[in-house]
Amino acid sequence: MNFEEFVNRIKESIRDYLPREYENAEVLVQEQQKLNNRYTGLLVLREGGTMTPTVNMELLFDYYNAHPEMSIYDVMEKISAIIQRDQPGLNIGSILQYDLAKEKLFMRVSSAEKNQELLQNVPYELKEDLAITFHLAVDLGEEGLASTMITNNIMEQYGITKEQLYQDALVSSPKVLPATVENMDKLLRRMMLDDMKASGMGAEELKAMEEEMDQMISANPNPMTVVSNEQTVDGASALFYPGMLDQIGESMKGDYFILPSSINEVIVVPDDGSLDHKELKEMVNEINHTQVAPEERLTDEVYHYDTKERVFEKADRFQQRKLDQAIDGVQDAVKERLQTPKHKATEISL
């Protein structure tokens, strides 16, 4: 069975595996365009305009082929369970009530270059080559974040401007997905201790390991800091929460580089003169293409924040700007010197 046959089979039969209230539901199969990703999705639309989760048919087809013991009927049951999963669902009518919807607004950040087609249909704000898009959190629980993207059409229905949407998202995002700023050493320490606790390690042994890690951190402190949110979901956007860039600058005690490790988090390191932005860019590029899934990649660029001038920009642009300022400074000094009146020499004849 090929993919097209697989999808058609499910589309025609899935209602038979759902409760009676779904008997008049509309089953849609359509391409889903998401940030950094697109896929064939199956959507069941019940009477009254309430939608169920979109099922990624490509992932399901791969799973089906990887498990020969699984029948097409097992697939139907799996989809049925997903559709009936206890969740609030999304009522289309409620999306258009902006006074309610704006409280659930949050931002995502992605590569503008990789998402050019998608960005033609949605409002967005550019930060260098990063696109901030706007979304509504439908449900946030243990199973993850269910959301819907604000499109140009939805924004028009709201009767608002992109500027208002952006300002409202700046207010609501830190409430919907609170930011976290954590030193890399402390983050790794906490993760390791959590794993040890989960493995059943005794209290005394756990305490000894904790003291040993604290000594290692004190002896060789790591300057890297991880910026994300409490759910570690689309956490890179926390970098652009109100005041966040300056807050990080205060903790770094100066300028810093920003390494986009994924759409879920960024890593910041102080610009203390010991790091070369070109080498950092090569490192980010290598990690992206060897350790980060394509749909979770942000960009291969390295960014920089100038705390004095409060400028966020690509690191290479920062270097060029500083070089240009230095050249301008020299030129101004030369001009000033040339324009300064000189004492004339007087010749005395004897």
Side-chain angles (χ1 to χ4, degrees):
M1 184 185 304
N2 61 33
F3 180 67
E4 184 177 355
E5 293 170 340
F6 176 81
V7 171
N8 288 335
R9 179 81 176 272
I10 292 173
K11 181 181 179 181
E12 293 170 359
S13 306
I14 188 59
R15 276 188 293 260
D16 296 335
Y17 292 81
L18 292 167
R20 188 172 180 178
E21 58 263 30
Y22 288 86
E23 63 181 357
N24 294 319
E26 182 180 3
V27 181
L28 304 175
V29 173
Q30 55 193 23
E31 182 180 69
Q32 300 293 310
Q33 191 173 11
K34 305 293 184 181
L35 290 172
N36 286 5
N37 190 24
R38 61 173 64 199
Y39 62 89
T40 300
L42 182 138
L43 181 66
V44 177
L45 180 60
R46 292 173 57 185
E47 290 181 303
T50 301
M51 292 187 293
T52 55
T54 301
V55 180
N56 188 323
M57 299 302 289
E58 293 170 14
L59 288 180
L60 199 57
F61 183 65
D62 290 342
Y63 184 84
Y64 171 67
N65 285 327
H67 296 79
E69 74 283 1
M70 191 177 193
S71 70
I72 190 66
Y73 308 107
D74 295 329
V75 174
M76 299 286 191
E77 293 291 349
K78 187 175 183 65
I79 294 175
S80 177
I82 293 172
I83 292 173
Q84 296 179 73
R85 187 177 297 158
D86 184 24
Q87 57 182 325
L90 176 61
N91 187 281
I92 296 176
S94 67
I95 296 177
L96 302 180
Q97 301 176 36
Y98 186 63
D99 288 343
L100 299 175
K102 70 178 183 179
E103 301 300 325
K104 297 184 177 182
L105 273 176
F106 71 95
M107 304 183 298
R108 280 186 171 132
V109 65
S110 62
S111 165
E113 181 181 357
K114 294 177 183 177
N115 294 282
Q116 291 182 37
E117 185 178 348
L118 175 66
L119 294 177
Q120 293 177 11
N121 302 309
V122 302
Y124 65 94
E125 183 78 12
L126 271 181
K127 298 290 185 181
E128 282 287 5
D129 60 341
L130 299 175
I132 295 175
T133 50
F134 309 100
H135 308 256
L136 291 177
V138 179
D139 187 32
L140 181 60
E142 295 181 358
E143 295 185 357
L145 173 65
S147 65
T148 186
M149 180 182 288
I150 302 298
T151 63
N152 289 333
N153 288 336
I154 292 176
M155 186 177 67
E156 289 175 7
Q157 291 290 329
Y158 289 156
I160 62 171
T161 63
K162 184 194 76 172
E163 289 70 27
Q164 182 180 347
L165 183 66
Y166 180 38
Q167 291 304 315
D168 288 339
L170 287 175
V171 173
S172 58
S173 291
K175 300 175 184 177
V176 176
L177 295 172
T180 58
V181 181
E182 194 167 7
N183 176 267
M184 179 71 82
D185 279 336
K186 293 181 179 179
L187 176 62
L188 294 176
R189 173 185 179 276
R190 177 169 53 79
M191 292 173 62
M192 291 176 67
L193 288 174
D194 287 345
D195 288 342
M196 291 174 187
K197 290 178 183 177
S199 67
M201 181 178 287
E204 292 186 6
E205 190 176 1
L206 191 64
K207 184 177 181 180
M209 288 297 298
E210 188 173 354
E211 292 176 352
E212 183 178 344
M213 283 189 282
D214 287 341
Q215 290 176 1
M216 292 174 62
I217 291 173
S218 298
N220 298 289
N222 190 331
M224 291 187 174
T225 296
V226 180
V227 180
S228 185
N229 58 41
E230 291 180 357
Q231 286 72 31
T232 323
V233 176
D234 296 303
S237 62
L239 184 70
F240 300 112
Y241 286 3
M244 181 60 71
L245 289 167
D246 291 327
Q247 177 185 327
I248 296 169
E250 290 178 8
S251 66
M252 291 282 167
K253 296 181 172 56
D255 294 2
Y256 55 91
F257 292 106
I258 299 129
L259 314 182
S261 57
S262 75
I263 60 173
N264 298 316
E265 65 182 28
V266 297
I267 296 172
V268 297
V269 291
D271 177 12
D272 57 5
S274 65
L275 298 172
D276 180 83
H277 76 281
K278 293 181 180 178
E279 293 179 358
L280 290 175
K281 188 172 180 178
E282 290 176 1
M283 180 184 72
V284 169
N285 189 292
E286 180 181 355
I287 292 175
N288 270 343
H289 292 82
T290 59
Q291 300 181 36
V292 183
E295 63 272 15
E296 293 192 349
R297 291 175 193 162
L298 194 45
T299 74
D300 292 333
E301 291 289 345
V302 169
Y303 303 90
H304 185 275
Y305 188 65
D306 183 332
T307 55
K308 292 182 179 179
E309 299 189 29
R310 303 180 74 182
V311 176
F312 170 84
E313 59 198 333
K314 292 180 181 178
D316 53 3
R317 188 168 295 173
F318 166 75
Q319 297 292 342
Q320 186 60 50
R321 183 167 61 85
K322 287 302 178 183
L323 178 59
D324 291 343
Q325 288 178 350
I327 293 173
D328 289 342
V330 171
Q331 290 176 340
D332 290 343
V334 171
K335 287 179 182 178
E336 183 178 353
R337 175 63 179 169
L338 292 175
Q339 292 171 0
T340 301
K342 307 296 189 298
H343 295 290
K344 294 183 180 179
T346 302
E347 184 177 344
I348 301 177
S349 299
L350 297 176

